Amino acid sequence: MGPAGSGKTTQAELLAEHLEVPHLDMGEMLREIPEDTYFGKEVKEYVNKGELIPDEITTELLKERLSGFEYANGFVLNGTPRTIKQAEILPFNPDAVVYLRVSDDENIKRLMLRQRPDDTPELIKRRLEIYHQQTEPILNFYRERGKLIEIPGERPVEVISRDINSKLI
């Protein structure tokens, strides 16, 4: 977990490789939905406004994807849950939740460098506001359950990866 630009995808990919399990990126999964479908139109509308996809849509898509046999022996997920409700209705109970702690200023710098169409200054600020309001409360949800592992995310990628691995294994 962490705000956009915190390095979630990079670290999730490295962790999945280390654990030899698949990596499931919810953001990528949402971007792959054809725009000419009902779900595709719904998702695109929310993404274009910089808003979170409704809990029900996210959870249904995740359930569908996790029904694949390749996820039966574990997986590394990033990009969800984004709200307390999503955390409560996840179709599985996570073993651990890694939180990459990165400042807003650093996130903004990183996001401006990746040059995706939905990474405009206005949408980045909007996504960070939503993150602080709706997603940060999940940290306490998992902290109270003894599942949260906090990792300082403003260090070299390799250092962060070693830190994550040492705390998980």
Side-chain angles (χ1 to χ4, degrees):
M1 291 192 68
S6 63
K8 293 183 303 288
T9 300
T10 300
Q11 292 303 326
E13 288 171 350
L14 291 169
L15 181 59
E17 185 179 314
H18 179 76
L19 297 174
E20 298 179 348
V21 296
H23 165 227
L24 180 55
D25 181 331
M26 193 65 178
E28 185 178 302
M29 192 171 90
L30 292 170
R31 285 187 292 276
E32 289 172 355
I33 299 171
E35 288 183 33
D36 60 348
T37 65
Y38 171 76
F39 270 142
K41 288 175 185 161
E42 284 281 306
V43 167
K44 180 102 175 141
E45 198 174 303
Y46 286 99
V47 169
N48 285 343
K49 290 189 267 181
E51 295 179 3
L52 295 180
I53 310 303
D55 299 331
E56 295 75 23
I57 293 175
T58 303
T59 304
E60 268 315 301
L61 291 169
L62 184 58
K63 279 182 191 174
E64 184 180 310
R65 180 62 63 99
L66 291 177
S67 67
F69 72 93
E70 66 270 29
Y71 301 104
N73 294 319
F75 54 92
V76 174
L77 173 67
N78 80 299
T80 198
R82 297 271 179 112
T83 66
I84 294 276
K85 183 177 179 189
Q86 283 179 17
E88 292 172 340
I89 62 175
L90 276 178
F92 62 92
N93 185 17
D95 295 327
V97 175
V98 176
Y99 166 53
L100 298 173
R101 190 176 56 247
V102 178
S103 70
D104 283 358
D105 287 342
E106 181 64 20
N107 282 325
I108 291 168
K109 278 189 243 173
R110 291 177 182 187
L111 291 172
M112 292 306 294
L113 290 174
R114 73 181 187 184
Q115 297 181 336
R116 280 201 328 225
D118 59 331
D119 284 339
T120 65
E122 298 79 26
L123 286 179
I124 289 170
K125 287 179 183 168
R126 177 76 180 124
R127 285 199 306 265
L128 285 171
E129 285 172 17
I130 290 170
Y131 174 82
H132 292 305
Q133 293 168 0
Q134 296 182 31
T135 305
E136 273 185 351
I138 298 172
L139 301 176
N140 280 334
F141 177 88
Y142 286 119
R143 188 177 288 117
E144 290 167 1
R145 286 155 180 78
K147 305 247 181 192
L148 191 71
I149 299 169
E150 290 193 47
I151 304 289
E154 294 184 27
R155 301 176 294 160
V157 170
E158 307 78 33
V159 174
I160 295 168
S161 179
R162 278 195 306 269
D163 197 7
I164 292 169
N165 291 340
S166 72
K167 290 187 169 137
L168 285 176
I169 300 169

